[in-house]
Amino acid sequence: MLEGLFDEDADFIAAETAINEGSGDRLPAPPSRRAACGLSGIRNQGATCYLNSLLQTLLYTPEFRESLFQLGTEDLGHLKDKDKQEAKVRVIPIQLQRLFARLLLLDQQSASTSELTDSFGWTNNEELQQHDVQELNRILFSAVESSLVGTKGQNLISKLYHGAIVNQIICQECGRISEREEDFLDLTLPVAGFQGLEEAFNSFYNEMELMSGNNQYRCEVCRKLVDAKKGAKLRALPTVLTVSLLRFSYDFVKNERYKETGKFTFPMDIDMAPFCEKIASGGDTMYELFSVVIHRGSGYGGHYQAYIRDFDCLGNWTSPEDEVIQLTPKPSSGSVDYIELGSADEVLAAVLVQEGGPTHTLTLDKLCQALISQTGVSWNKRFKKHCGPISKFLKAHDDTFDFDPVTKLVTLRSPSSEIDKKSTTDGAIKPDNGEKDAMTIDSTNSGTGQEEVEAMDTSVASGDGPEGSPKRLKENPPEHTERESCEKDIKPKRAPSPPPEEGHCWFDFNDSRVHPIKTKEIQKQFSGKQSAYMLFYRRKSLKRPDEAKGQRAYKIPKLLLEEIEIENAILEAEREKYDQALNTINIKLLQSKDFQTLNGALNFHYGADSNVVALEIDRRKTIADLKSEIFKLVGKNEMDQDIHLHIAKETPIGYHLYDCISGDDTKSLQDAGVCNDSQIFIWDGQQVNGVRVIPGKDTEPVLLCITYNLTTKEADELVKAFPRNLTVGELKAILFEVTGIPVYDIFLCQVLNKPVVLSRHTDTKTLHELNFEHGEKLTAENRKRLGGAARVRLAELEAERHSKMVSFIVENRCPHKDNYVELWPVLPIEISRDETVEALKNSILSKLGVKTENLKSGRERLRVDDEIVGLKPPLHEHQTVAGAGLVQGLRLVLEPGAPPKRDEITVTFTPGDPTSKNLDLEIIVDKSITVDMCLKLMLEKAGLEGNAWHLRKTNWCGEAMDVMDDLELTLEQEQVKNGDHLLIQEGRLPPRGYIRLPIYLYKTPDQGLAESNVGVLSWISASIASLMSGGSSSSTSLGDKTGEPIQIGIIEISKDATLADLKLQVMTLPTMMQISIPTVEFLRLRMIESHHPTRILRNMDQTLRRQKVTNGSNLCAQVLPKEEHLTQNFIVVNICKRIPNTRDYETEEELVWDVTRGATPQDLKQKIADRMLLQVEHIMIAKHIKDKYEWLVIDDDGNNGQAGKGRLTKSRKKGGYVPRVNLRQVPYYLKDGDTIGVKNLELETTDVDDFSTELDDLGKERLRQEAEERKQRRKESRARNEELNERESKDSDNKKSKRPEVGIRIHVGDFG
């Protein structure tokens, strides 16, 4: 009932991840140093916030901490002997000691509890399970007690936490008192119906209940029923009093759990005397509060944190308004420590720099979420008091931020470059001179980013402009500026309150983060979704010794002190190593002697690309250090002392030089813009190979194709690169030298779909201003030679000719030396769409300088290099360019190897599991060969031996599909096409005409209240479920089943056998023989696709061939509680009810829906409403698309289908008629096995259209990762294929590829 109650909030998990994930590319990031408060947090292992809060409370209970540290190795043993059977090593207390010592002394922001949880015996991801902190408190104390049996600390728990309650019944006639005493570790009090702690104590441990009337008590002395008084008193008080508040309840009417959020006060000091049975003279009954464990969330999920008092002044308490905000640095900054920030605009600016991408832009809600995850603070609790709502603050600071109130986009303005520079170089952002007050951190972090926006965005206006955008203040200043309006909303800053007394400082322990708080913050935990859950009181008479004040090492054993000293030294070494690795970059050194200037760009001399020198260097070093390294690697004698260094970048036509970095030798590489994988060009600053080179962005070359002399029989063409800052007038001057046409008479047209005349007004514009790109086409004619209409007509004819042309970028991977010229490895090529691929290849070879007589047929071939899928199959040379699907702008690869012939196809294949890391292989075969011959050729190429192999087809994403079981069929008959991917898998195929079918046993479907436990075989269903689940309870997580399916056998059967024959064979399997199934009607068989049961096999007399059951099909068997006779008019779906205002669902139920009368959305909603006893107008349903982890909302009229949160609409037909929607058709395609989510709109308050779950989020992330992995495998396969092709070419020349909740368990050895 309480499963999933203690789920972690996404904000805190995100924050934890942001802090602790590795930053470096080579090494995991070392732990961060302690925060300014000097106290260490505990890292969350996934869902261990409840454990962290309790451990911090125990650590700052001085009596528990010091009693634990007093136990030495003579009591606990040595950890190194824990695996010895004869040694009784008490691992749990030892790990508690080590954890407490690390929290006190180790210089890190947070400690890990992994070693402690390992000592608990948690080996099955228990740290990912959600549990109650009160339950953990009792179980942990029991484990500690059991671990300390036989030691001097065996009474540690009882001495500190054990108390006694006496339950009494007093006879009103004879006065006899009947007593029953019981021990307690904590007192449990309800919240509902009480105003505060003292009232609840008074009700339970002071007031007496009168037992009279029907509730009279039988007195053993009076021997009759008498009136009596019943009550309880505290007989013995512990040193540490623990109170658990019952905030979680269950509403049996609404059938849902809920959290009591009403106000329940508790005092800082409490006198327990009124609630005690007897008070000895001088008895100590005064207690003071020192820890509050807080639960934030609802009855279905939340997060734990603790407010704890620091008795011994171990932390550095500062006012929350004076604490500095810490921001996690970017890996590119080279900083290991946090960036410290002060003011609000600095914090927002830094978050935008970190999380806003290249444009430094985020939506308002994502900005708030990033603020929490990166800094641990929220705007409402940290800045709103002094800065007002965030929307007003952003509008007021329009000199720093651009805020659009319509789209809610926040963009950092031009100062972002300076901020980014400070945050990545100095490690901190300096305060803005215009900022009056340095704003500092608040102690508590709260709420998700969306809650932040809802709370703070009520003041956002729609803007003053005509389209809702805000007007610029400088253009039209109003009487009162936005900044002044914002300042009016800001409350005047009051004088700081005095610091707490010594030993009365409170801190917020929130997993990894620890912040100081004011005592008044505790009062905010009386009520609400964030409220107190457990209270810890300590006897007020207990005083701390002066020598313990401020001494974190007080009472810690010497061995632990030495261990921590070693760990601190290791941490420092790791930080130094990480710092070095983080700032080490790899750059490439390019020497001018290896380059020549071709077509306005720098290109390697033939074979000189191997002379590139790789250099690994610290980016904090100076340019002078870089020059020194260059001289060492290249040699001083080979270059001048006065070298020039420029950053070089590759363009489509070669390299170009940009920023000069050698002007100031004292500047660091990072400040000079040198980053990882930068390419540094070394030259004299003037010429390369005798040609003057002008660096800079403005002179970046752009390749133009200019056609002139169109009136002649053979038009001339000029293909040349020009700098982007060249004006059209300067271009005409260059053309004058080439064409001889006077500059004033040159008539230029840009050849697009229609010619665009470049008039004389464009002579002053640059190519960059005209947006000219590589491959742009122009025509040039003499305006005096032809009239205006004729000139334009010629340009139109050229445009028409060019419209039939397509251009490509070709990468040459098989350079020739026939003409002994240095060849350009990448070149553009243009050809008509009607030409053949062979003509395209010859044109490429001709342009590369290979003579026609030297062309060798079948020595080279072309492929398409796709950015996403990589290299595509080799092109068939008999096809036309258009027929081969070659479109404008593709990148082609010319490689060695024979092209496929007309009847040949290229097939790739993976030997083994498609999810394995085996590289894909490629083979070119005749499409008329048999499957058997193709398999043999593939086995030979893959180096596999034996006959126990078979081929399977794959789908578009590489998953295994149909088995190619007929070895005599040709590839063409099996519909294997060019570019298809096959799998070679191990396993014998059945005889011809037979199929092998794995059979899996699934649990009996849950058919809900209306149909459960019906039929003579309901007991069989229950026994199967118990067998498969092992007695585990069901989960509320979507898609979870009670028990995993088990494979019960493999059946080999003829394709012409009927469904009845198949069911009879399934019933003869050994596992099924243990269950007495009367007839085949009690057995359901269905297909399994993507690990989910889908289509149900119907019609007993139909053959398996007609049922489309093939080799590779997996079948699911389900034993039913009653006979089933399904026709094609029935759809069997799974329905699951969403738990209101959460992202979880109740357990799935099966719904058998007869669609004879209609298959509309309204029919399905009515059926579901009847099953779930809901009103049909108050439910919303959606279909779960499992393979995409998305939900498609099913609307009544079918006009709105929703995947995720976007809506897909269909237009109505003319006349206003809307056809009835059939859920079996587009866009829903409802079929057997589909999952339908159901929302109760009466209880759902937010995101009613959002049906997604956390599993969907994880699934989408997994799909993204798998896509990246497939892309990487394709790259590796491409590299391997290239290597194989080169090798084959050389050989040819020489001769000629929510788990179910379980209770907490802590395993303790036997120390009795």
Side-chain angles (χ1 to χ4, degrees):
M1 183 176 69
L2 297 178
E3 182 181 351
L5 183 60
F6 309 108
D7 287 331
E8 295 291 336
D9 280 1
D11 294 336
F12 293 92
I13 295 176
E16 197 72 17
T17 304
I19 293 298
N20 293 304
E21 65 183 4
S23 301
D25 296 332
R26 305 172 182 84
L27 296 174
S32 304
R33 299 182 186 276
R34 285 177 178 261
C37 67
L39 301 181
S40 179
I42 301 178
R43 289 194 285 276
N44 195 321
Q45 294 190 54
T48 56
C49 58
Y50 66 99
L51 173 64
N52 298 347
S53 301
L54 180 60
L55 290 175
Q56 294 284 19
T57 298
L58 296 179
L59 172 64
Y60 290 96
T61 306
E63 292 72 25
F64 181 88
R65 179 181 72 235
E66 292 170 6
S67 298
L68 186 66
F69 281 146
Q70 286 176 0
L71 302 174
T73 54
E74 65 279 2
D75 295 304
L76 306 179
H78 293 276
L79 196 60
K80 62 183 180 180
D81 300 329
K82 66 177 181 178
D83 296 328
K84 297 180 180 178
Q85 295 182 354
E86 67 278 3
K88 291 188 176 182
V89 181
R90 305 167 196 267
V91 182
I92 293 178
I94 293 176
Q95 294 295 2
L96 273 174
Q97 284 185 340
R98 299 178 75 218
L99 175 63
F100 284 3
R102 289 186 178 122
L103 289 171
L104 291 171
L105 299 175
L106 197 59
D107 185 16
Q108 59 181 7
Q109 187 213 14
S110 58
S112 172
T113 55
S114 58
E115 293 181 351
L116 177 64
T117 54
D118 288 345
S119 72
F120 291 168
W122 291 3
T123 58
N124 194 27
N125 294 329
E126 285 88 345
E127 64 276 2
L128 300 179
Q129 300 285 343
Q130 301 85 32
H131 296 292
D132 182 9
V133 68
Q134 180 192 5
E135 180 188 7
L136 173 69
N137 184 55
R138 295 179 177 180
I139 293 176
L140 179 60
F141 280 178
S142 175
V144 172
E145 275 191 312
S146 301
S147 298
L148 296 180
V149 170
T151 71
K152 63 183 180 183
Q154 61 183 355
N155 296 323
L156 187 153
I157 300 298
S158 60
K159 184 173 65 174
L160 293 179
Y161 295 95
H162 274 212
I165 299 174
V166 57
N167 296 289
Q168 298 178 335
I169 300 178
I170 305 174
C171 178
Q172 295 297 290
E173 293 191 8
C174 67
R176 181 182 182 274
I177 301 177
S178 175
E179 293 184 348
R180 179 172 56 86
E181 182 177 314
E182 58 184 56
D183 293 338
F184 69 86
L185 282 173
D186 60 278
L187 297 175
T188 303
L189 294 176
V191 172
F194 298 99
Q195 295 296 319
L197 184 67
E198 290 157 312
E199 182 183 345
F201 267 131
N202 187 63
S203 176
F204 277 80
Y205 300 108
N206 195 4
E207 297 179 355
M208 304 288 287
E209 175 190 354
L210 180 60
M211 304 176 67
S212 61
N214 293 332
N215 194 31
Q216 280 189 319
Y217 167 69
R218 175 173 291 277
C219 179
E220 294 181 359
V221 176
C222 300
R223 298 182 181 276
K224 63 178 181 178
L225 294 174
V226 296
D227 291 345
K229 287 187 177 181
K230 178 182 178 181
K233 288 285 186 177
L234 299 176
R235 174 165 288 178
L237 292 174
T239 303
V240 179
L241 178 63
T242 306
V243 181
S244 298
L245 305 181
L246 294 177
R247 286 200 175 270
F248 302 108
S249 302
Y250 195 85
D251 189 333
F252 290 94
V253 176
K254 295 182 179 180
N255 194 30
E256 64 181 15
R257 53 181 178 259
Y258 66 95
K259 179 179 179 180
E260 297 282 358
T261 58
K263 188 173 183 180
F264 186 87
T265 63
F266 47 88
M268 300 297 290
D269 297 326
I270 187 171
D271 186 1
M272 298 298 293
F275 321 117
C276 294
E277 179 189 19
K278 298 177 182 178
I279 304 175
S281 58
D284 187 4
T285 59
M286 287 299 298
Y287 284 81
E288 57 184 345
L289 183 70
F290 76 94
S291 177
V292 181
V293 175
I294 300 161
H295 180 267
R296 178 164 70 84
S298 65
Y300 293 97
H303 175 75
Y304 284 109
Q305 62 192 88
Y307 290 175
I308 302 176
R309 177 178 163 187
D310 181 14
F311 284 105
D312 291 339
C313 306
L314 301 180
N316 304 319
W317 194 93
T318 57
S319 176
E321 288 83 8
D322 298 330
E323 190 179 13
V324 177
I325 295 177
Q326 293 181 326
L327 182 70
T328 308
K330 293 189 295 185
S332 59
S333 68
S335 175
V336 179
D337 297 325
Y338 285 109
I339 302 170
E340 295 187 349
L341 307 169
S343 63
D345 57 345
E346 287 178 4
V347 174
L348 294 179
V351 171
L352 286 170
V353 169
Q354 295 270 50
E355 302 292 332
T359 60
H360 299 161
T361 301
L362 286 173
T363 58
L364 189 59
D365 60 340
K366 289 186 178 180
L367 175 61
C368 295
Q369 290 174 359
L371 177 65
I372 293 174
S373 64
Q374 289 292 324
T375 66
V377 300
S378 68
W379 180 273
N380 279 354
K381 288 198 171 184
R382 171 58 188 86
F383 295 115
K384 188 176 180 181
K385 179 178 179 181
H386 298 289
C387 301
I390 188 171
S391 54
K392 276 196 172 183
F393 179 84
L394 292 170
K395 292 168 71 176
H397 290 74
D398 60 348
D399 55 338
T400 306
F401 306 100
D402 256 337
F403 174 59
D404 188 339
V406 178
T407 62
K408 300 293 181 68
L409 288 176
V410 184
T411 303
L412 192 60
R413 283 185 171 274
S414 54
S416 63
S417 59
E418 184 65 20
I419 291 173
D420 188 34
K421 180 179 177 181
K422 291 179 180 179
S423 64
T424 57
T425 56
D426 301 337
I429 296 179
K430 304 290 191 299
D432 187 2
N433 294 333
E435 187 68 29
K436 296 181 180 179
D437 299 316
M439 312 308 298
T440 49
I441 193 169
D442 179 67
S443 59
T444 54
N445 41 8
S446 69
T448 63
Q450 183 63 35
E451 293 170 349
E452 289 281 323
V453 174
E454 291 173 357
M456 68 183 86
D457 213 23
T458 56
S459 60
V460 178
S462 60
D464 301 325
E467 297 181 1
S469 57
K471 291 183 179 179
R472 303 298 306 147
L473 297 178
K474 295 179 181 179
E475 297 172 358
N476 188 13
E479 294 181 2
H480 301 284
T481 65
E482 195 71 43
R483 187 185 294 270
E484 291 173 350
S485 174
C486 182
E487 290 174 353
K488 286 182 180 180
D489 294 336
I490 298 174
K491 298 179 181 179
K493 192 171 182 179
R494 295 178 296 181
S497 56
E501 298 178 14
E502 189 179 72
H504 288 77
C505 298
W506 286 79
F507 292 87
D508 173 15
F509 290 82
N510 193 346
D511 285 341
S512 293
R513 297 183 181 274
V514 184
H515 301 297
I517 61 171
K518 294 182 179 180
T519 308
K520 65 180 181 181
E521 291 293 327
I522 300 174
Q523 299 176 3
K524 298 179 181 179
Q525 312 308 319
F526 289 165
S527 62
K529 288 188 175 181
Q530 177 173 316
S531 49
Y533 187 68
M534 287 188 73
L535 307 174
F536 292 83
Y537 286 87
R538 176 175 172 270
R539 289 191 189 272
K540 198 167 185 178
S541 60
L542 297 173
K543 302 298 180 183
R544 299 296 297 146
D546 293 337
E547 57 269 23
K549 300 291 184 181
Q551 298 299 319
R552 298 193 185 117
Y554 183 68
K555 297 280 187 163
I556 297 181
K558 183 179 179 181
L559 285 177
L560 277 178
L561 292 176
E562 293 173 351
E563 182 179 337
I564 297 301
E565 185 177 355
I566 294 173
E567 290 187 15
N568 271 324
I570 293 174
L571 271 179
E572 285 302 315
E574 287 179 353
R575 289 188 179 111
E576 291 180 7
K577 186 176 181 181
Y578 176 74
D579 180 65
Q580 182 63 35
L582 193 65
N583 287 283
T584 298
I585 58 175
N586 292 301
I587 62 176
K588 295 178 180 178
L589 303 179
L590 311 177
Q591 303 178 58
S592 61
K593 65 182 181 63
D594 297 328
F595 283 81
Q596 59 181 331
T597 304
L598 291 177
N599 229 340
L602 298 175
N603 289 269
F604 281 109
H605 290 295
Y606 180 77
D609 54 348
S610 61
N611 296 336
V612 175
V613 178
L615 174 62
E616 193 175 80
I617 192 170
D618 193 316
R619 58 179 161 188
R620 294 168 295 186
K621 288 188 175 183
T622 64
I623 299 299
D625 297 327
L626 175 60
K627 289 182 177 180
S628 177
E629 292 292 334
I630 291 173
F631 289 137
K632 290 179 183 178
L633 291 172
V634 180
K636 291 185 179 181
N637 298 330
E638 298 187 15
M639 60 179 63
D640 297 332
Q641 292 295 321
D642 186 20
I643 60 174
H644 289 253
L645 305 178
H646 279 73
I647 295 178
K649 295 180 182 178
E650 196 170 4
T651 69
I653 59 173
Y655 285 90
H656 182 68
L657 305 184
Y658 293 88
D659 299 333
C660 176
I661 64 173
S662 56
D664 183 1
D665 284 359
T666 62
K667 184 182 292 186
S668 70
L669 298 180
Q670 185 172 348
D671 290 342
V674 180
C675 57
N676 199 42
D677 294 329
S678 288
Q679 300 183 88
I680 308 300
F681 194 81
I682 309 169
W683 63 315
D684 60 6
Q686 298 294 326
Q687 297 180 341
V688 174
N689 202 20
V691 179
R692 179 172 174 79
V693 175
I694 303 176
K697 177 69 176 177
D698 292 340
T699 60
E700 180 182 332
V702 55
L703 188 68
L704 301 181
C705 179
I706 304 173
T707 306
Y708 58 98
N709 291 337
L710 294 175
T711 56
T712 62
K713 292 183 179 180
E714 292 186 4
D716 294 325
E717 189 173 73
L718 173 66
V719 179
K720 186 177 180 181
F722 301 91
R724 287 188 182 274
N725 62 350
L726 188 74
T727 65
V728 174
E730 293 169 338
L731 175 61
K732 289 180 178 180
I734 297 174
L735 290 177
F736 164 68
E737 298 178 358
V738 177
T739 65
I741 304 173
V743 173
Y744 191 78
D745 295 333
I746 293 179
F747 179 80
L748 281 179
C749 279
Q750 186 180 4
V751 179
L752 301 174
N753 293 333
K754 291 184 179 180
V756 177
V757 177
L758 300 180
S759 65
R760 291 193 177 99
H761 298 293
T762 62
D763 285 357
T764 58
K765 291 189 176 181
T766 64
L767 303 183
H768 176 69
E769 292 171 336
L770 294 173
N771 296 320
F772 277 21
E773 299 296 336
H774 288 288
E776 206 78 53
K777 297 176 178 59
L778 301 175
T779 63
E781 272 303 319
N782 191 331
R783 66 176 65 246
K784 288 185 178 180
R785 185 176 302 174
L786 296 171
R791 291 196 301 269
V792 174
R793 177 57 185 162
L794 286 174
E796 289 175 348
L797 292 174
E798 184 66 11
E800 183 179 352
R801 186 182 72 84
H802 279 290
S803 67
K804 297 181 180 180
M805 307 292 285
V806 287
S807 58
F808 312 107
I809 296 295
V810 181
E811 180 181 344
N812 178 25
R813 297 187 181 174
C814 51
H816 297 271
K817 291 188 178 180
D818 296 332
N819 286 4
Y820 301 100
V821 296
E822 296 171 340
L823 301 178
W824 190 16
V826 177
L827 74 158
I829 194 71
E830 187 180 54
I831 197 169
S832 172
R833 289 185 174 89
D834 299 329
E835 294 287 348
T836 63
V837 173
E838 184 178 14
L840 170 62
K841 184 183 75 172
N842 291 335
S843 178
I844 293 170
L845 293 172
S846 176
K847 198 165 185 178
L848 289 172
V850 181
K851 295 180 181 179
T852 307
E853 57 270 18
N854 292 334
L855 294 179
K856 296 181 181 180
S857 177
R859 197 173 69 172
E860 301 87 8
R861 61 190 180 195
L862 288 174
R863 292 178 185 262
V864 174
D865 188 5
D866 190 87
E867 292 183 356
I868 299 177
V869 301
L871 286 178
K872 290 188 174 182
L875 299 174
H876 288 82
E877 295 193 345
H878 70 278
Q879 292 180 319
T880 63
V881 171
L886 302 182
V887 296
Q888 177 74 23
L890 284 180
R891 187 181 185 91
L892 303 180
V893 170
L894 180 69
E895 65 177 15
K901 299 177 182 178
R902 183 183 296 269
D903 294 328
E904 290 181 335
I905 58 174
T906 304
V907 180
T908 59
F909 63 95
T910 302
D913 188 352
T915 60
S916 66
K917 296 184 178 180
N918 294 335
L919 294 179
D920 296 342
L921 300 177
E922 184 180 84
I923 189 171
I924 298 177
V925 294
D926 195 302
K927 60 185 177 182
S928 62
I929 68 170
T930 63
V931 173
D932 185 43
M933 180 59 69
C934 180
L935 175 60
K936 291 178 180 179
L937 293 175
M938 289 180 175
L939 291 175
E940 181 181 354
K941 183 154 189 174
L944 300 177
E945 298 179 354
N947 298 321
W949 301 92
H950 63 273
L951 288 177
R952 291 189 72 169
K953 297 180 181 179
T954 61
N955 59 10
W956 63 273
C957 59
E959 296 175 338
M961 297 298 290
D962 297 338
V963 175
M964 301 171 65
D965 53 354
D966 194 338
L967 300 180
E968 301 302 322
L969 292 180
T970 65
L971 297 181
E972 188 173 20
Q973 291 171 333
E974 278 282 8
Q975 297 183 347
V976 177
K977 301 179 181 61
N978 189 51
D980 280 358
H981 186 77
L982 304 179
L983 297 178
I984 298 181
Q985 292 190 332
E986 194 167 7
R988 181 183 62 84
L989 289 175
R992 187 168 183 174
Y994 282 74
I995 52 178
R996 289 168 59 87
L997 302 174
I999 309 296
Y1000 295 85
L1001 178 63
Y1002 275 64
K1003 74 179 185 72
T1004 298
D1006 181 3
Q1007 297 181 341
L1009 298 174
E1011 302 179 26
S1012 63
N1013 299 321
V1014 178
V1016 297
L1017 294 185
S1018 60
W1019 63 274
I1020 296 179
S1021 304
S1023 64
I1024 293 175
S1026 176
L1027 170 68
M1028 297 172 61
S1029 65
S1032 63
S1033 60
S1034 62
S1035 172
T1036 59
S1037 298
L1038 179 62
D1040 282 358
K1041 307 291 180 183
T1042 304
E1044 293 294 328
I1046 56 175
Q1047 184 173 355
I1048 58 176
I1050 298 177
I1051 288 179
E1052 197 169 286
I1053 191 170
S1054 171
K1055 293 180 181 179
D1056 297 320
T1058 64
L1059 177 59
D1061 297 332
L1062 176 60
K1063 286 189 175 183
L1064 287 173
Q1065 282 209 35
V1066 172
M1067 292 170 61
T1068 61
L1069 293 173
T1071 304
M1072 302 300 288
M1073 292 287 287
Q1074 301 176 18
I1075 306 171
S1076 299
I1077 304 176
T1079 64
V1080 293
E1081 283 79 11
F1082 285 90
L1083 182 65
R1084 175 194 290 172
L1085 294 181
R1086 58 198 305 181
M1087 305 289 286
I1088 300 177
E1089 297 175 6
S1090 300
H1091 309 292
H1092 296 283
T1094 55
R1095 177 168 61 92
I1096 296 177
L1097 302 183
R1098 299 169 171 85
N1099 195 339
M1100 292 290 188
D1101 298 327
Q1102 200 171 57
T1103 65
L1104 300 183
R1105 191 188 303 272
R1106 292 288 302 275
Q1107 296 269 11
K1108 296 184 179 179
V1109 179
T1110 63
N1111 267 317
S1113 296
N1114 293 322
L1115 295 187
C1116 153
Q1118 290 177 307
V1119 180
L1120 304 177
K1122 60 182 182 179
E1123 291 186 358
E1124 182 177 74
H1125 301 278
L1126 296 181
T1127 66
Q1128 297 300 327
N1129 292 326
F1130 287 86
I1131 302 177
V1132 180
V1133 297
N1134 300 315
I1135 58 174
C1136 50
K1137 183 179 178 182
R1138 186 148 174 131
I1139 301 173
N1141 300 319
T1142 70
R1143 303 187 72 192
D1144 291 331
Y1145 287 84
E1146 295 179 358
T1147 307
E1148 286 184 354
E1149 299 178 11
E1150 184 179 270
L1151 179 68
V1152 180
W1153 181 30
D1154 185 358
V1155 297
T1156 304
R1157 296 183 179 179
T1160 67
Q1162 187 63 30
D1163 294 327
L1164 178 58
K1165 290 178 70 173
Q1166 186 65 57
K1167 181 72 174 178
I1168 293 174
D1170 295 341
R1171 163 66 69 84
M1172 293 187 168
L1173 305 179
L1174 298 173
Q1175 297 183 16
V1176 67
E1177 63 270 14
H1178 291 153
I1179 66 173
M1180 177 179 285
I1181 59 177
K1183 173 187 172 181
H1184 191 213
I1185 306 174
K1186 294 184 177 71
D1187 55 344
K1188 295 182 180 179
Y1189 298 96
E1190 293 178 349
W1191 291 83
L1192 185 68
V1193 173
I1194 301 176
D1195 287 346
D1196 292 346
D1197 56 3
N1199 288 335
N1200 291 326
Q1202 180 186 357
K1205 291 190 179 179
R1207 290 194 172 270
L1208 307 173
T1209 60
K1210 297 181 181 178
S1211 60
R1212 295 173 179 261
K1213 292 189 175 181
K1214 292 183 179 180
Y1217 169 71
V1218 180
R1220 296 188 66 187
V1221 177
N1222 190 332
L1223 292 181
R1224 286 185 162 187
Q1225 299 173 359
V1226 64
Y1228 302 110
Y1229 296 111
L1230 197 65
K1231 58 187 182 301
D1232 291 340
D1234 282 346
T1235 297
I1236 304 296
V1238 183
K1239 278 194 175 185
N1240 187 349
L1241 300 183
E1242 287 185 305
L1243 303 178
E1244 202 76 28
T1245 58
T1246 59
D1247 293 332
V1248 293
D1249 289 345
D1250 183 13
F1251 282 75
S1252 63
T1253 67
E1254 293 181 359
L1255 292 178
D1256 293 327
D1257 297 341
L1258 295 174
K1260 289 179 180 178
E1261 176 62 21
R1262 181 173 59 82
L1263 290 179
R1264 187 193 65 79
Q1265 293 177 356
E1266 289 176 352
E1268 291 293 331
E1269 291 175 359
R1270 286 195 296 270
K1271 185 176 180 180
Q1272 182 62 30
R1273 286 201 298 269
R1274 283 193 294 266
K1275 287 183 179 179
E1276 295 174 355
S1277 176
R1278 179 174 65 178
R1280 181 173 177 178
N1281 286 336
E1282 291 173 2
E1283 183 180 351
L1284 290 175
N1285 289 335
E1286 290 179 4
R1287 188 180 304 150
E1288 291 175 359
S1289 175
K1290 289 179 181 178
D1291 293 342
S1292 175
D1293 290 340
N1294 293 335
K1295 295 177 188 179
K1296 217 202 161 177
S1297 116
K1298 260 171 205 189
R1299 114 188 14 250
E1301 181 184 358
V1302 295
I1304 307 176
R1305 294 182 180 179
I1306 297 180
H1307 304 278
V1308 183
D1310 183 10
F1311 301 108

